[in-house]
Amino acid sequence: MKILVAEPLAPAGVELLRSQPGWEVIVSSPAEYAQHLASADALVAGGVIPITRQVLASAPKLRVIGRAGAGLENIDVEAATTAGVLVMSTPGGSAVAVAEHTLGLMLAIARSIPQASDSTKSGKWEEKKFLGHELRGKTLGIVGLGSIGREVVRRARAFEMRILAGDPYVNSHTASDLGVELVDLATLYAASDFITLHVALTSETLQMLNAEAFASMKTGVRIVNCARGELIDADALKDALLSGQVAGAALDVFQTEPPAAGEPLLAMENVIATPHIGGLTEEAQEMVGVRIAEQLVEYLRGGAAINAANMPAITAEQYRALEPYVALAERLGTFAAYLANANPHMVRMVYLGKIAETSTHLIRNAGLAGVLSRSLARKANVVNAVQIAADRGLDIAERREKRAGHVDAVRLELETDAGLTTVEGSVVLGRPRLIQVDGIYCEAPLTGHLTFLRNEDVPGVIGFVGTVLGQSSINIANFSVGRQDSPATPGAALEAIEVMETDQPVPGSVAKRLLEHPAIKLVRSVAFHD
């Protein structure tokens, strides 16, 4: 067995690999590793070398890629999957390091530590200029309660801060156990003295701190970003700093790294900047080095794929049979997550017909990944979905109903703070289709740009919807309607639902217009990227 270490790895990790009987460990470098690819069974990388389709083609014996770190941006995971190569990483290994850097930056902007140091070193003694602020008694808003966010919570408690958290995929019980108040972003923005970001970059979080967000914040708020530079609109932050709406910002990440020459934020006195060093500590590097070595040993010796990104624990033959239902479950989960729009407690998977007689863990994981995908984009998959759900206190349950003659179907029940959302679907001609929503029959393709509506079953609603979309130049490709068999309470109006497939997304402004109709109670848009 030949293990190729292509980037610097902690000595303890290298020694663990070398201690394995029959293993040859080649410690190389990004400049020279390619000459060893042809005979490598395992490749250990960091975040520097690009592992592309061409690199994989040069490594015909490669079985596994171990990334000593969390991100996989430098690895073509799709190409690795096609080549039959497992990709694994070490998420959370630098969580403590990033959390400590976050608290260090909070203290630095509260007390102007870098500015005071520069002033003193230049021969000045300006104690009155650097009147600071205590963290004690202040409100800290943490956006994202993943592994780093939770470590920030633990450390912020020591400063006697009130802690608010915004995370759509952490339930209220988990937040309570952490001793934080789970709130929506609007509340967090309005109440926080310090705001720190710890979320993944998705279509929903891109430039989440923009001009509108800054305007909604408490005057004098201080911002810390050790996550991704793209989470903040740099121009809006500059304007907010100039106006005093934001008193200070501490940035470890930037949209372009390193920042371009003349970046305005770097010239501002109330901005502290560090060169993306949040996770760079000796301890963190040692931890991820040893951890990836341990994971490689577990996989190559026993077949256990820990923190894998791309391979389900199932045979190729089984996967081919289940693949259409895996796709169905993931899309049902995504659909349910957008309909529920509240903090979840549990995902329950129900298997109907012959599908209930099969091994369903892959379908279960796909449903979970779909539920999580709204917040985590492509980071949740059939391999890591259970772990991510557990980290967020999301319970999982399964039920099988072997009803004779029943069409094979999958039902996903999502329990949230707002109640229960149920979606059911099946596979028709190899494609996933929606069958029911909350017990109301409504068949529609789970593809493209969909908009879901819930309304009272009264005349004029469908015509109103068509008129609004027509005026907005949005073409309807498919329109499915369903309604209750009987009202929920005697004398009440029947409830109806509609699922529209359109040629382009329905923007928020059009959704608001639809809600102007008194009978329409809910409008949700969901996009599936086929």
Side-chain angles (χ1 to χ4, degrees):
M1 187 80 69
K2 187 173 288 187
I3 314 298
L4 173 58
V5 180
E7 297 186 50
L9 189 70
V14 175
E15 286 306 309
L16 176 58
L17 294 172
R18 282 180 170 157
S19 70
Q20 302 303 308
W23 286 19
E24 178 186 357
V25 179
I26 301 172
V27 178
S28 186
S29 68
E32 299 179 351
Y33 84 99
Q35 62 184 297
H36 304 289
L37 280 171
S39 58
D41 296 283
L43 174 63
V44 182
V48 176
I49 61 171
I51 302 176
T52 62
R53 193 174 299 274
Q54 290 70 31
V55 169
L56 291 161
S58 302
K61 295 180 62 180
L62 197 63
R63 294 173 56 189
V64 57
I65 297 168
R67 162 72 164 99
L72 297 172
E73 292 84 0
N74 61 313
I75 301 174
D76 188 334
V77 177
E78 183 177 350
T81 303
T82 301
V85 178
L86 177 73
V87 178
M88 57 172 59
S89 62
T90 55
S94 60
V96 170
V98 178
E100 289 186 356
H101 195 61
T102 297
L103 268 295
L105 290 177
M106 286 173 56
L107 288 166
I109 56 175
R111 301 302 300 271
S112 302
I113 293 173
Q115 298 91 332
S117 175
D118 290 342
S119 172
T120 305
K121 286 182 176 181
S122 69
K124 301 176 184 178
W125 195 258
E126 300 179 295
E127 73 273 20
K128 293 184 179 179
K129 177 180 178 180
F130 297 110
L131 180 66
H133 299 270
E134 297 180 2
L135 299 187
R136 180 185 60 177
K138 301 301 190 297
T139 297
L140 170 62
I142 300 177
V143 183
L145 271 183
S147 57
I148 297 172
R150 294 195 298 272
E151 294 294 346
V152 172
V153 169
R154 296 183 179 103
R155 284 148 185 79
R157 280 200 196 126
F159 290 95
E160 301 178 30
M161 303 185 80
R162 176 196 178 202
I163 305 174
L164 306 180
D167 190 322
Y169 287 92
V170 170
N171 64 50
S172 54
H173 301 301
T174 300
S176 178
D177 290 343
L178 286 169
V180 304
E181 300 174 50
L182 193 62
V183 299
D184 57 34
L185 287 181
T187 301
L188 185 147
Y189 290 160
S192 298
D193 300 294
F194 293 82
I195 294 175
T196 179
L197 303 178
H198 300 289
V199 294
L201 179 64
T202 70
S203 58
E204 290 186 281
T205 61
L206 176 65
Q207 294 194 345
M208 64 186 303
L209 295 196
N210 49 34
E212 182 179 358
F214 289 128
S216 70
M217 294 178 187
K218 181 185 293 188
T219 301
V221 67
R222 289 170 169 82
I223 307 295
V224 178
N225 186 13
C226 290
R228 290 290 297 267
E230 295 90 339
L231 301 177
I232 298 179
D233 181 334
D235 291 334
L237 175 59
K238 179 193 69 176
D239 293 341
L241 286 162
L242 289 171
S243 71
Q245 177 67 14
V246 173
L251 309 174
D252 186 50
V253 290
F254 298 84
Q255 186 165 350
T256 301
E257 295 184 354
E263 165 60 54
L265 287 172
L266 298 183
M268 303 183 75
E269 188 175 355
N270 51 352
V271 172
I272 297 171
T274 54
H276 204 154
I277 59 173
L280 294 181
T281 64
E282 291 184 6
E283 295 84 355
Q285 296 306 297
E286 180 85 1
M287 179 178 292
V288 298
V290 171
R291 187 175 292 177
I292 196 60
E294 291 173 341
Q295 291 177 197
L296 285 171
V297 171
E298 288 288 335
Y299 177 65
L300 293 172
R301 291 292 187 199
I306 302 169
N307 293 320
N310 65 334
M311 189 181 79
I314 196 169
T315 68
E317 184 178 349
Q318 288 172 320
Y319 185 76
R320 282 193 294 271
L322 291 176
E323 185 176 13
Y325 293 92
V326 171
L328 169 66
E330 183 173 9
R331 295 189 178 218
L332 287 174
T334 300
F335 196 75
Y338 275 87
L339 265 58
N341 201 33
N343 295 314
H345 299 160
M346 172 179 280
V347 174
R348 183 180 295 103
M349 303 295 298
V350 184
Y351 312 107
L352 309 167
K354 292 183 179 180
I355 197 71
E357 301 172 5
T358 66
S359 175
T360 56
H361 72 277
L362 194 61
I363 300 174
R364 174 203 63 197
N365 290 9
L368 278 174
V371 170
L372 294 165
S373 66
R374 183 180 179 190
S375 173
L376 301 174
R378 302 179 72 88
K379 295 182 70 174
N381 57 34
V382 294
V383 176
N384 62 16
V386 171
Q387 180 181 342
I388 294 172
D391 288 344
R392 283 157 175 74
L394 185 61
D395 293 330
I396 309 162
E398 294 180 276
R399 190 170 74 246
R400 290 168 170 79
E401 297 183 6
K402 301 177 183 178
R403 290 182 284 181
H406 194 282
V407 65
D408 287 355
V410 176
R411 182 186 306 143
L412 187 146
E413 300 174 357
L414 180 60
E415 293 184 13
T416 72
D417 290 340
L420 178 67
T421 297
T422 300
V423 292
E424 184 176 322
S426 188
V427 176
V428 179
L429 299 177
R431 301 287 293 173
R433 289 189 72 86
L434 182 70
I435 296 176
Q436 294 186 33
V437 178
D438 293 335
I440 301 176
Y441 178 84
C442 183
E443 185 178 352
L446 288 168
T447 186
H449 303 290
L450 300 184
T451 300
F452 174 84
L453 297 91
R454 190 188 303 276
N455 55 272
E456 294 178 356
D457 184 35
V458 296
V461 172
I462 294 176
F464 174 78
V465 171
T467 298
V468 170
L469 267 63
Q471 291 173 346
S472 304
S473 299
I474 297 174
N475 189 54
I476 300 174
N478 193 302
F479 197 105
S480 301
V481 183
R483 69 175 181 179
Q484 292 173 315
D485 294 331
S486 59
T489 57
L494 289 174
E495 184 177 89
I497 60 173
E498 293 83 34
V499 180
M500 297 185 298
E501 180 187 1
T502 54
D503 289 345
Q504 62 262 54
V506 174
S509 57
V510 175
K512 288 182 179 179
R513 287 187 60 194
L514 292 173
L515 286 169
E516 291 174 2
H517 193 292
I520 297 177
K521 307 302 180 185
L522 180 71
V523 178
R524 293 280 189 269
S525 294
V526 187
F528 295 107
H529 303 288
D530 299 315

